[in-house]
Amino acid sequence: MVLPKSSKIYVAGHHGLVGSAIWNNLLQRGYHNLIGRSHKELDLLDSVAVKQFFDEERPDAVVLAAAHVGGIMANLQYRADFIYQNLQIQQNVIGESYRHGVSKLLFLGSTCIYPRMAPQPMREDALLTSPLEYTNEPYAIAKIAGLKMCESFSIQYGCNYIAVMPTNLYGPNDNFHLENSHVLPAMIRKVYLAKCLNEGDMELVRKDLNLRPVEGVSGKNSDKEILDELAKFGITPEAVTLWGTGSPLREFLWSEDMADASVHVLLNVDFADTHEPDAKEIRNCHINVGSGVEISIRSLAEKVVAEIDFRGELRWDASKPDGTPRKLTDVSKLHSLGWRHKVEINEGIHRLYEWYKQGICINHQTQ
C-alpha cells in the first residue's frame, strides 16, 4: 500500500527521542501533512480525549511512538506505572485508529519483549518461549500486548498495522536523567560531570545542573550540596562508578537510523509482507530493528571515557543489577525488507556527546 505525500500522518510522541526523528525523516521525504500533540495538549491516557482527537483530525496513518519509558531503576520502582500507562496508551490509540479507519499504523515496541535467556541473536520467533527479564517484565508485557493488538487487528479485520521492535536507542533529544534514563545517555552525562569536577570547572557543572536539575539540586546550590548530590550517583572528581559489573552485552542503534527504518517500514512494508503467505498460524509478525552488532557495557563505558577525555577512574558497583546478560537482535527479517543501519557506535557516541554539549551552551546563552 502506497501512502500519498498528501496523507495526514499522526505521530504520537513526536517530541520524544524516536518520535522527533521520525517526524523529521517524514518531512525530509516530502510528507508535510503531519500532526503532533504534546502531552499537555493531548493526554493519551484519557480515552475520551483521544477519541475526540481522532474525531476531529481523522488521520490517514498513525505512528505510535509515545510510551512511558525508563532505565532499570525506573522499571524496578514503578512497575505498575509501566504496565498500566503503556497498556492504556496502546488501547486508546490503536483502538481509535481502527474505529476511524486509519489505513496504516506503525507501533514501536522494544526488544525487552524477548525472554531473559532467549537464544542469541534473538529472532522474532523467540517471543513467548520462556520467562522475561524480571526488572522490566511489566513494560515488556505491555509491549507484547501492543504488538499482539497490531497482529490481531490485521488478522481479524484486515488492517495494515505493523509493529517494530527497536533495540537500545540513543541520539538527539535523548533523556539524560541520572536515574531514569537509558544506559548510554546517563553514562555520557555522568562521565562529563566527573570530567568537569576532575578539572575543577564548577561553572560547567552549574550550567549542566541548571539545564537538568538532579533531585532539586541545580547550579544555584552550594558547592558542597552539588558535590554531595552527584556523589550519590557515583560522580566524583576522582572516579565515575557505574551500575553492575560491565559484563552484559548490548546492541545500540542511533535514533535517526531507527527513524529511517520506521519510515521505511511505514511506506514500503505491508502486514502481508511480515509473515509467510501460506502459514497455518500467523504470529511473530513484528520486525526487529537494530544494528546486529553488540558491545559490552564495560567497553561502551571505556569508549565514552575516551571520547570525553576523562582522566579519572572508572569503577563498577557489582551490588547493583546487570539486567539481561546479552540482548542482540537478529535483523535478517529487516534486511530482507530492504533496510540496514548506517551509524556505527563510535560515530554515534561522538555525535551524542557533541549534541549534549551544544545543548548546555545554547541553554546557558539564552538565560
Side-chain angles (χ1 to χ4, degrees), residues 168-184:
N168 297 292
L169 302 174
Y170 67 105
N173 297 316
D174 221 328
N175 171 18
F176 289 85
H177 192 288
L178 289 179
E179 190 174 61
N180 295 331
S181 66
H182 287 122
V183 58
L184 187 47

Side-chain angles (χ1 to χ4, degrees), residues 143-161:
K143 289 300 179 181
I144 291 170
L147 75 86
K148 286 297 180 184
M149 283 185 74
C150 292
E151 198 172 87
S152 301
F153 270 92
S154 296
I155 294 170
Q156 182 175 345
Y157 295 117
C159 297
N160 204 356
Y161 298 173

Side-chain angles (χ1 to χ4, degrees), residues 4 11 42 92 96 112 130 199 224 237 240-241 250 325 351 356:
V11 182
L42 176 61
N92 290 337
E96 293 304 330
C112 72
S130 61
E199 296 175 355
K224 183 179 185 306
V240 171
T241 303
R250 290 292 181 269
R351 285 196 198 182
Y356 183 75

Side-chain angles (χ1 to χ4, degrees), residues 18-32:
V18 184
S20 60
I22 288 174
W23 182 282
N24 291 333
N25 191 286
L26 284 165
L27 288 175
Q28 290 165 11
R29 292 176 186 243
Y31 288 84
H32 296 285

Side-chain angles (χ1 to χ4, degrees), residues 349-366:
I349 290 172
H350 174 71
R351 285 196 198 182
L352 186 57
Y353 180 47
E354 291 300 313
W355 184 89
Y356 183 75
K357 287 191 298 180
Q358 184 181 30
I360 295 172
C361 293
I362 291 173
N363 183 264
H364 180 69
Q365 290 167 0
T366 57

Side-chain angles (χ1 to χ4, degrees), residues 110-235:
S110 165
T111 51
C112 72
I113 61 167
Y114 292 114
R116 171 181 169 81
M117 302 306 292
Q120 302 290 318
M122 300 178 296
R123 291 165 44 91
E124 284 84 358
D125 58 13
L127 182 67
L128 298 175
T129 55
S130 61
L132 298 163
E133 160 65 28
Y134 176 76
T135 53
N136 56 27
E137 184 180 69
Y139 178 72
I141 289 173
K143 289 300 179 181
I144 291 170
L147 75 86
K148 286 297 180 184
M149 283 185 74
C150 292
E151 198 172 87
S152 301
F153 270 92
S154 296
I155 294 170
Q156 182 175 345
Y157 295 117
C159 297
N160 204 356
Y161 298 173
I162 300 178
V164 290
M165 299 295 124
T167 188
N168 297 292
L169 302 174
Y170 67 105
N173 297 316
D174 221 328
N175 171 18
F176 289 85
H177 192 288
L178 289 179
E179 190 174 61
N180 295 331
S181 66
H182 287 122
V183 58
L184 187 47
M187 193 182 284
I188 283 178
R189 189 180 183 196
K190 285 182 177 183
V191 175
Y192 170 76
L193 287 169
K195 170 187 168 70
C196 295
L197 294 178
N198 183 267
E199 296 175 355
D201 197 334
M202 285 302 293
E203 182 183 355
L204 283 179
V205 173
R206 291 178 185 280
K207 287 180 184 178
D208 181 282
L209 293 178
N210 280 331
L211 180 57
R212 299 179 179 89
V214 178
E215 295 186 332
V217 174
S218 71
K220 297 176 182 177
N221 287 73
S222 68
D223 283 3
K224 183 179 185 306
E225 289 169 330
I226 290 173
L227 290 170
D228 288 347
E229 183 63 28
L230 294 182
K232 287 165 56 177
F233 292 91
I235 304 166

